[in-house]
Amino acid sequence: MQPLPLLSYFAQQAQAKLPADVWHYLQSDAGSGLQLQVNELGWQSKKLLPRPLRALQQANTRCELFSEQWAHPLLLAPVAYQRLFHADGEIGSAVACNAQQGQMMVSSLASQPISEIVTQAQQPLWFQLYWQGDRERTAALLQKALAAGVSAVVFTVDAPVKQALIDLPDGISAVNLAQPLSMRPVHMGQSQVFDGWMTQAPTWEDVAWLRQQVPIPLLLKGLMHVDDAKRAVEYGCDGVVISNHGGRVLDSTPSVAAVLPAVVAAVGSQCKVLVDSGIRSGQDVFKALAMGADAVCIGRPYIWGLAAEGAMGVAKVIRTLRDELEMTMALTGVSNLSELRQVGLFE
Ligand code: FNR
């Protein structure tokens, strides 16, 4: 029997260790699993051409974004309630991220205090902001993150209607929120969506307001349409994260790989373009960079590592993806990320 690749091994370990409802919360998409496949196949269907005999002794995967230097272009995407998966929680992921010289986006729904996560990480982290129903509450959460010393704010805009729900066990909650956002009650005949949820959802005017409140780099996460990416630039954002939230919000969207080239062509010279959703190997990371992404975020795979082995598991997942990226660079004759962006992909 073939040995399992390390990431698949961690996925198996995670499934074996986690309660069934937590595993389902982690793995599910907004439909019946098809969107996950679309996301993964988007990257996997692109092809690479080997280019042997190049001298690559000095090659590296170094990456610079917003004056931060990392050893590689892999970021940990924001994932809520990480103590659900392992007692190490967000602190475990952050410590692993630092050990691997990378960067992490800490979720608004983190299960440990943001100040403690940043302190334990021993490096400034990025903060992922969810709209808190109104400007006052959103500003309060933002201030808490800024006071903790975060170095960028990633405003997630694709999930005004939250679908991935789980009954949280006692002792696990979104500890950085003053109080959980409760939905406005609707009357008979009113729409739960438009009269309820959407009255508490942000709009472009709120993005303009937020830009005034954030003195550090601001990115919008969860864009797929070229016009929205252009608008993010017009509203003064420093970056966009092209993402369909790992397929967890709207079913039947294209893969990120399918929309990325048009976004890069439209805004790639004006802001940083990051991606996530369906990245499962260093080859996928390579392809996203070759298609013009400045950096690549991973979601579920590092949580498999966290569930399997805590902080050490997260570190191993990052290192594995980086090793695979380096191997792919070696086999395609690429010595750094600028060169990588010039590589053509095959369909
Ligand atoms: C998420 N994601 C997410 N995104 C965000 O902006 N804030 C959040 O709190 C969460 N929480 C969350 C929980 C879980 C269990 C998952 C799986 C995902 C989305 C995440 O940041 C990212 O966009 C996707 O996970 C990327 O897709 P892959 O790598 O999981 O396929």
Side-chain angles (χ1 to χ4, degrees):
M1 202 172 76
Q2 284 272 73
L4 275 178
L6 197 60
L7 258 55
S8 307
Y9 166 78
F10 278 132
Q12 273 197 358
Q13 290 290 303
Q15 183 170 14
K17 288 190 173 185
L18 292 174
D21 63 333
V22 175
W23 174 249
H24 180 260
Y25 167 67
L26 174 63
Q27 287 303 110
S28 58
D29 64 13
S32 56
L34 194 60
Q35 188 65 52
L36 267 184
Q37 288 175 38
V38 168
N39 286 355
E40 293 174 6
L41 276 175
W43 305 113
Q44 286 165 17
S45 60
K46 308 282 176 201
K47 302 295 171 216
L48 302 167
L49 267 190
R51 300 296 305 275
L53 295 173
R54 295 190 176 174
L56 293 175
Q57 293 85 348
Q58 306 298 321
N60 69 80
T61 59
R62 283 197 290 272
C63 179
E64 184 186 323
L65 241 65
F66 310 126
S67 305
E68 293 183 11
Q69 321 277 339
W70 312 319
H72 54 80
L74 293 161
L75 287 91
L76 302 186
V79 171
Y81 309 119
Q82 294 193 14
R83 284 181 56 243
L84 271 178
F85 308 108
H86 192 278
D88 287 354
E90 286 82 3
I91 290 174
S93 299
V95 166
C97 171
N98 175 286
Q100 293 297 328
Q101 304 162 69
Q103 187 50 283
M104 169 177 177
M105 304 171 177
V106 180
S107 170
S108 280
L109 304 177
S111 56
Q112 291 164 321
I114 177 74
S115 54
E116 212 177 309
I117 302 169
V118 173
T119 304
Q120 297 286 334
Q122 299 185 1
Q123 73 175 66
L125 300 171
W126 292 12
F127 179 67
Q128 177 269 322
L129 181 70
Y130 270 137
W131 191 248
Q132 295 301 303
D134 61 39
R135 291 183 180 181
E136 200 184 334
R137 291 167 56 119
T138 305
L141 177 59
L142 175 67
Q143 286 312 320
K144 195 179 276 187
L146 292 175
V150 299
S151 57
V153 172
V154 182
F155 182 33
T156 300
V157 293
D158 60 359
V161 178
K162 301 263 185 327
Q163 287 192 324
L165 295 175
I166 180 168
D167 286 331
L168 292 171
D170 285 347
I172 297 184
S173 65
V175 296
N176 295 293
L177 307 187
Q179 64 212 68
L181 190 58
S182 58
M183 285 305 156
R184 186 166 295 176
V186 290
H187 305 298
M188 275 274 278
Q190 283 192 315
S191 155
Q192 176 71 59
V193 175
F194 299 125
D195 303 310
W197 288 317
M198 295 314 286
T199 60
Q200 295 178 316
T203 65
W204 282 105
E205 282 65 46
D206 296 313
V207 173
W209 168 81
L210 187 63
R211 180 63 284 187
Q212 305 300 315
Q213 315 301 312
V214 176
I216 53 180
L218 173 66
L219 298 89
L220 289 195
K221 174 174 181 280
L223 304 182
M224 292 286 281
H225 199 295
V226 171
D227 292 349
D228 291 337
K230 286 184 189 165
R231 207 156 173 195
V233 171
E234 283 163 27
Y235 278 68
C237 295
D238 304 287
V240 290
V241 184
I242 308 306
S243 162
N244 61 19
H245 213 106
R248 294 167 74 80
V249 181
L250 176 64
D251 202 18
S252 293
T253 71
S255 68
V256 167
V259 301
L260 180 60
V263 173
V264 169
V267 302
S269 61
Q270 299 164 72
C271 75
K272 295 298 176 193
V273 178
L274 283 68
V275 291
D276 73 21
S277 300
I279 298 284
R280 296 291 178 268
S281 69
Q283 286 78 29
D284 295 345
V285 177
F286 182 100
K287 291 170 187 175
L289 297 168
M291 291 164 75
D294 291 292
V296 175
C297 318
I298 48 171
R300 294 177 184 85
Y302 83 91
I303 301 296
W304 300 335
L306 182 68
E309 294 183 12
M312 184 57 80
V314 177
K316 285 183 189 170
V317 166
I318 300 171
R319 186 66 239 189
T320 300
L321 289 169
R322 184 175 162 193
D323 286 346
E324 290 175 357
L325 171 62
E326 290 179 2
M327 186 62 82
T328 311
M329 289 170 67
L331 296 175
T332 54
V334 173
S335 65
N336 58 49
L337 297 199
S338 332
E339 263 184 49
L340 205 168
R341 291 201 187 86
Q342 314 303 320
V343 171
L345 292 178
F346 274 61
E347 288 306 312

